[in-house]
Amino acid sequence: MASVKVPALVPSPAEDAEQLRKAFQGWGTNEALIISILAHRNAAQRKIIRETYAQTYGEDLLKDLDKELSSDFERTVLLWVLDPAERDAFLANEATKRLTSNNWIVMEIACTRSSHDLFVVRQAYHARFKRSLEEDVAYHTSGDFRKLLVPLVTSFRYEGDEVNMTLAKSEAKILHEKISDKAFNDEEIIRILTTRSKSQINATLNHYNNAFGNAINKDLKTDPEDEYLKLLRATIKCLTCPEKYFEKVLRLAINKLGTDEWALTRVVTTRAEVDMQRIKEEYHRRNSVPLERAIDSDTSGDYEKMLLALIGHGDA
Amino acid sequence: MASVKVPALVPSPAEDAEQLRKAFQGWGTNEALIISILAHRNAAQRKIIRETYAQTYGEDLLKDLDKELSSDFERTVLLWVLDPAERDAFLANEATKRLTSNNWIVMEIACTRSSHDLFVVRQAYHARFKRSLEEDVAYHTSGDFRKLLVPLVTSFRYEGDEVNMTLAKSEAKILHEKISDKAFNDEEIIRILTTRSKSQINATLNHYNNAFGNAINKDLKTDPEDEYLKLLRATIKCLTCPEKYFEKVLRLAINKLGTDEWALTRVVTTRAEVDMQRIKEEYHRRNSVPLERAIDSDTSGDYEKMLLALIGHGDA
């Protein structure tokens, strides 16, 4: 469930565009006004505001925001205003670039979006970068990481609930054999995790747990420092319980000495319209502190206000 | 260019459906009438005829055709009446089944359809088989074949004309090094062929030819009997000159002792609305016999009449 709050009576896109224009003018920028509008509009509404703004003022709202805002607040607003598919394409592209490379973000986008949404990200990637997502991921990775990430980003999983229990048993057995042999990069492990539907994977991993006595991620923790194993465990978590995965990303970002603002911003902007309520529940349960309070004590200023608005704190 | 001839004045879908219904009734089936209608309607028209037939008679045209027709003629008509994406999904599924398994057909569908069309095939596959195409391909293949085929069927290549010449040179060099080392299944070869755009691959292979003195497919012919190398060469051919690939499939199907009707039917039904004119030109040039004449001397009866109509022989 989404956390963003949209008011019952939404001003027209023309009014919103005009108010935003005003917020940029005069002495200093009116950040509070920007937040009060943009943090309380859904993706479809933000898209129309962008279009209306471009038609009315002949300028790109994103560019004007870029000029007026700065640092973490700016990044949050820009990511938020982007269309979800464009935003994912942008984040995935950043994650394949040398200085900002991050295999986890690539995996996260591939595993936590629906099959259809992931495909729309691939289309947005073509349009913006004139290359394919898999092309950049394959080019900028190597070894076991490439073996896992390329099939993940190209997957178009079946999304029905149908589960084949015979197959779940036979594939749980395959997984267990390979893991017992420490063949963690075996192509059968990769095949199962990258091609089966999420329902089927869930059934397979439940059977794994029942038949072999451990959750698979426990058996994949032979070396806690191994980066490939960490990514593999995170992949499994994203495929089977994304809200727990995101809770952990938030927890690590907040508990870190010097908050990891990029991770915090990414999770809040990408999940606010999807499953942020569930993530907040998980966060509260796991940390005994509501996410609002954790963000409040870790961030400040307009950045804090924007994040809190997106996770549904206060009224619309 | 397509070979199918659609008359200037097309009867209404209701008339076509009625004529087809008549063709099935009475003593024996009127195959000539079926051909005169179905072989001269494009994909959109055939789709409406199927819908109209279902609405009017409460039956599936495909099932009625299945009841009335037989053997190669039946298969041709059924494949032809299917929507192109459904047809490809059906052929790909057959090609992953044990008794009809065929890596070439999987590769052919993955490499000769546009990125968008391949994606629509994957959607049709979900709808019809309740699994993903890559899931079945990965499950039913192994080793080098899986390594090549899974990324091919999941690809969504960029389709712009932009070519990066620096990249073409560096990747031609990589290909040459791997091939010189006989590392034909190297992941870099697979990466380049499965993720780069067709324009980019073309530039890379042109540079390969210029810089290293041989066309890549010549260097990939160290062991003419190696099945993986054959598939790799065919992949390159499909990506760079599909009409030559299809010409060869037709040539081998026709020249074989006892025609390979499945291959002949597949190429004619899948290419008649795409590039059959070019394939016919290639065929004539390479065999000194027009394709019409070759089909005429190798097949007979309604099957022959249907194939000839689809490749554009005679009037609409």
Side-chain angles (χ1 to χ4, degrees):
Chain A
M1 236 188 84
S3 59
V4 168
K5 288 182 184 164
V6 175
L9 278 178
V10 179
S12 72
E15 285 173 81
D16 278 345
E18 194 189 334
Q19 290 296 308
L20 287 168
R21 188 73 175 179
K22 276 193 192 146
F24 302 152
Q25 286 166 339
W27 235 57
T29 306
N30 189 343
E31 284 86 358
L33 183 56
I34 294 174
I35 295 174
S36 74
I37 298 170
L38 290 176
H40 299 287
R41 300 293 180 271
N42 66 31
Q45 293 164 335
R46 298 193 303 276
K47 193 173 180 176
I48 301 180
I49 293 172
R50 258 180 87 184
E51 289 165 4
T52 310
Y53 191 93
Q55 283 160 14
T56 314
Y57 306 107
E59 314 217 21
D60 184 350
L61 175 60
L62 285 172
K63 284 200 181 132
D64 282 354
L65 287 165
D66 183 37
K67 260 186 277 172
E68 300 292 331
L69 312 180
S70 65
S71 84
D72 292 319
F73 177 54
E74 174 188 349
R75 185 170 164 91
T76 312
V77 173
L78 290 179
L79 282 178
W80 175 246
V81 172
L82 280 175
D83 196 59
E86 282 182 82
R87 183 201 297 138
D88 282 348
F90 176 84
L91 290 169
N93 178 258
E94 255 185 4
T96 60
K97 283 187 179 159
R98 209 178 330 154
L99 293 175
T100 47
S101 91
N102 188 322
N103 291 331
W104 283 55
I105 296 174
V106 172
M107 177 282 292
E108 174 183 306
I109 290 172
C111 296
T112 64
R113 276 52 165 170
S114 73
S115 299
H116 173 265
D117 286 352
L118 176 58
F119 178 68
V120 180
V121 174
R122 296 170 77 187
Q123 287 184 304
Y125 203 98
H126 277 200
R128 177 148 184 171
F129 302 108
K130 309 281 172 212
R131 289 187 306 276
S132 70
L133 171 57
E134 64 263 33
E135 179 172 9
D136 283 354
V137 171
Y139 190 55
H140 293 283
T141 55
S142 62
D144 291 345
F145 295 96
R146 182 194 279 176
K147 261 178 89 174
L148 177 62
L149 291 172
V150 174
L152 284 179
V153 298
T154 56
S155 68
F156 181 64
R157 298 174 197 271
Y158 178 64
E159 293 200 314
D161 286 334
E162 296 90 340
V163 164
N164 178 335
M165 283 310 297
T166 314
L167 194 67
K169 286 180 189 170
S170 71
E171 296 197 334
K173 196 157 163 270
I174 294 174
L175 291 175
H176 187 252
E177 284 168 6
K178 301 299 179 186
I179 292 173
S180 303
D181 293 348
K182 298 199 190 309
F184 303 120
N185 64 355
D186 185 274
E187 58 172 281
E188 284 289 275
I189 295 183
I190 309 265
R191 173 183 66 77
I192 293 166
L193 294 178
T194 61
T195 68
R196 294 302 186 193
S197 76
K198 291 179 186 175
S199 305
Q200 183 68 34
I201 289 173
N202 205 49
T204 299
L205 299 187
N206 281 333
H207 184 78
Y208 184 104
N209 203 340
N210 298 341
F212 308 113
N214 275 338
I216 188 168
N217 270 2
K218 195 164 174 214
D219 291 344
L220 288 173
K221 218 168 177 172
T222 51
D223 173 3
E225 294 310 310
D226 183 298
E227 290 297 326
Y228 170 74
L229 283 183
K230 280 189 202 171
L231 184 66
L232 196 60
R233 292 196 302 272
T235 301
I236 289 168
K237 218 163 165 182
C238 278
L239 292 171
T240 54
C241 40
E243 62 283 356
K244 288 193 183 169
Y245 166 84
F246 286 116
E247 180 283 321
K248 190 172 177 186
V249 175
L250 288 176
R251 174 162 29 107
L252 298 178
I254 291 169
N255 293 351
K256 205 178 168 186
L257 198 70
T259 312
D260 179 350
E261 284 88 4
W262 271 38
L264 185 54
T265 302
R266 182 181 85 246
V267 175
V268 171
T269 53
T270 61
R271 309 315 290 179
E273 281 184 290
V274 187
D275 54 1
M276 185 49 87
Q277 289 300 353
R278 286 281 294 111
I279 297 170
K280 278 160 69 180
E281 283 168 34
E282 287 295 329
Y283 190 91
H284 197 162
R285 177 155 57 199
R286 179 68 177 74
N287 301 276
S288 308
V289 170
L291 181 60
E292 283 86 347
R293 209 181 313 151
I295 289 180
D296 178 46
S297 45
D298 240 44
T299 60
S300 64
D302 298 317
Y303 178 52
E304 176 192 342
K305 289 189 193 108
M306 182 74 189
L307 292 179
L308 290 178
L310 292 179
I311 67 166
H313 192 66
D315 295 323
Chain B
M1 238 189 84
S3 58
V4 167
K5 288 182 185 166
V6 176
L9 279 175
V10 180
S12 73
E15 284 173 82
D16 278 345
E18 193 189 335
Q19 291 295 308
L20 288 168
R21 188 74 176 180
K22 275 194 192 147
F24 302 152
Q25 286 166 339
W27 236 56
T29 306
N30 188 342
E31 284 86 0
L33 183 56
I34 295 173
I35 296 173
S36 75
I37 299 169
L38 291 175
H40 299 287
R41 301 292 181 272
N42 65 31
Q45 292 165 337
R46 298 193 304 274
K47 194 174 180 175
I48 301 180
I49 293 173
R50 259 179 86 182
E51 289 165 4
T52 310
Y53 191 93
Q55 283 160 12
T56 314
Y57 305 108
E59 314 217 21
D60 183 350
L61 175 59
L62 283 172
K63 284 200 182 134
D64 282 354
L65 287 165
D66 183 37
K67 259 187 278 173
E68 299 292 330
L69 312 181
S70 65
S71 84
D72 293 319
F73 177 54
E74 175 188 350
R75 185 170 164 90
T76 311
V77 173
L78 290 178
L79 283 178
W80 176 245
V81 172
L82 280 175
D83 197 58
E86 283 183 80
R87 185 201 297 139
D88 282 347
F90 175 85
L91 289 170
N93 178 258
E94 255 185 4
T96 61
K97 283 187 179 160
R98 207 177 333 153
L99 294 174
T100 46
S101 90
N102 189 322
N103 291 331
W104 283 54
I105 295 174
V106 173
M107 177 283 292
E108 175 183 307
I109 290 172
C111 296
T112 64
R113 275 52 165 171
S114 73
S115 298
H116 174 265
D117 286 351
L118 176 58
F119 178 68
V120 179
V121 173
R122 294 171 77 186
Q123 287 184 303
Y125 203 99
H126 277 199
R128 176 147 187 173
F129 301 109
K130 310 280 174 210
R131 290 188 306 276
S132 70
L133 171 58
E134 62 264 34
E135 179 172 8
D136 283 354
V137 171
Y139 191 55
H140 293 283
T141 54
S142 62
D144 292 345
F145 295 96
R146 183 194 279 176
K147 262 178 89 173
L148 178 62
L149 290 172
V150 174
L152 283 179
V153 297
T154 56
S155 67
F156 181 64
R157 298 174 196 271
Y158 178 65
E159 293 201 314
D161 285 335
E162 295 90 342
V163 163
N164 178 334
M165 283 310 297
T166 314
L167 194 67
K169 284 179 189 171
S170 70
E171 297 197 333
K173 197 159 162 269
I174 295 174
L175 292 175
H176 187 253
E177 284 166 8
K178 301 300 178 186
I179 292 173
S180 302
D181 292 347
K182 297 198 190 310
F184 303 120
N185 64 355
D186 186 273
E187 58 172 282
E188 284 288 275
I189 294 182
I190 308 265
R191 174 183 65 76
I192 293 167
L193 294 178
T194 61
T195 69
R196 293 302 186 194
S197 75
K198 291 180 187 176
S199 304
Q200 184 67 35
I201 290 175
N202 204 49
T204 301
L205 299 187
N206 281 334
H207 184 78
Y208 184 104
N209 203 338
N210 297 341
F212 307 113
N214 274 337
I216 188 170
N217 270 1
K218 195 165 173 212
D219 290 343
L220 288 172
K221 218 169 176 172
T222 51
D223 173 3
E225 294 310 310
D226 184 297
E227 289 297 326
Y228 169 73
L229 283 184
K230 279 188 201 171
L231 184 66
L232 196 61
R233 293 196 302 272
T235 301
I236 290 168
K237 218 164 165 181
C238 278
L239 292 171
T240 53
C241 40
E243 62 283 356
K244 287 192 184 170
Y245 166 84
F246 286 116
E247 180 283 321
K248 190 172 177 184
V249 175
L250 288 175
R251 174 165 27 108
L252 297 179
I254 290 169
N255 292 353
K256 206 179 169 187
L257 199 70
T259 313
D260 179 351
E261 284 88 2
W262 272 37
L264 185 54
T265 302
R266 182 179 87 246
V267 174
V268 170
T269 54
T270 61
R271 308 316 289 179
E273 282 184 290
V274 186
D275 54 2
M276 185 49 86
Q277 289 299 354
R278 285 283 291 112
I279 298 171
K280 278 160 69 180
E281 282 169 36
E282 287 295 330
Y283 190 91
H284 197 161
R285 178 155 56 199
R286 179 69 176 73
N287 300 276
S288 309
V289 171
L291 181 59
E292 283 86 347
R293 208 181 314 152
I295 289 181
D296 178 47
S297 45
D298 240 44
T299 61
S300 64
D302 298 317
Y303 178 52
E304 176 192 341
K305 289 188 192 107
M306 182 74 189
L307 292 179
L308 290 178
L310 292 178
I311 67 167
H313 192 67
D315 293 324

